[in-house]
């Protein structure tokens, strides 16, 4: 696997894992933007949201289920954001699909 997240998935790089199964990995963001800032990603190398195919949709659904569980576990179930930055113009810096789960403070409105 080629990206930082790919290397975390294969164990070549370390990360603080908060959830893992055969298909999905969730880790703590290295530079958290809020008290809770987790990254949930498929182990399959999908570069971005725009390249998700119909065959991947069950995986995306499972990622949402994992996000719900982590939101409960981290006590933010009543207020969080689940964000995907798609493409460099939107701020995507790692070309391996990942969902930011952010909460634990008042997030205000969307900028
Ligand atoms: P994005 O800008 O949407 O691609 O998000 C990439 C995120 O990955 C940023 O919030 C970074 O802080 C985070 N990040 C980068 N490298 C690592 C790493 N080695 N472990 C955990 N999070 C990382």
């Amino acid at each position: 696997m080629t990206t930082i997240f790919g290397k975390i998935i294969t164990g070549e790089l370390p990360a603080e894992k908060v959830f893992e199964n055969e298909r999905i990995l969730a880790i703590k963001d290295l530079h958290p933007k809020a008290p809770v800032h987790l990254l949930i990603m498929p182990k399959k190398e999908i570069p971005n949201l725009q390249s998700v195919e119909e065959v991947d949709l069950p995986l995306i659904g499972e990622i949402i289920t994992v996000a719900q569980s982590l939101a409960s576990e981290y006590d933010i179930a009543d207020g969080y954001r689940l964000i995907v930055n798609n493409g460099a113009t939107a701020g995507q810096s790692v070309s391996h699909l990942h969902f930011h789960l952010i909460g634990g403070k008042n997030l205000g409105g969307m900028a």
Side-chain angles (χ1 to χ4, degrees):
M1 294 199 180
T2 49
T3 67
I4 292 172
F5 294 165
K7 291 187 185 344
I8 288 172
I9 288 164
T10 57
E12 292 166 74
L13 287 175
E16 200 168 338
K17 297 180 181 181
V18 294
F19 175 86
E20 184 167 22
N21 69 14
E22 287 169 13
R23 296 165 298 282
I24 294 168
L25 176 68
I27 62 174
K28 289 194 176 175
D29 196 293
L30 203 55
H31 306 291
K33 303 285 188 298
V36 179
H37 189 168
L38 308 177
L39 301 171
I40 310 169
M41 63 194 75
K43 290 187 173 177
K44 179 178 176 182
E45 276 195 306
I46 301 172
N48 54 40
L49 192 64
Q50 192 64 20
S51 55
V52 166
E53 297 176 353
E54 198 169 344
V55 69
D56 301 317
L57 294 181
L59 191 54
I60 303 303
E62 190 178 359
I63 285 173
I64 291 173
T65 300
V66 170
Q68 291 171 330
S69 296
L70 287 170
S72 294
E73 192 180 320
Y74 281 81
D75 215 17
I76 59 167
D78 55 0
Y80 62 83
R81 286 205 177 115
L82 188 61
I83 297 172
V84 178
N85 296 322
N86 182 84
T89 336
Q92 184 177 4
S93 60
V94 182
S95 295
H96 183 119
L97 177 64
H98 52 282
F99 291 68
H100 297 254
L101 177 63
I102 297 173
K105 70 173 187 181
N106 189 330
L107 297 172
M110 290 290 286

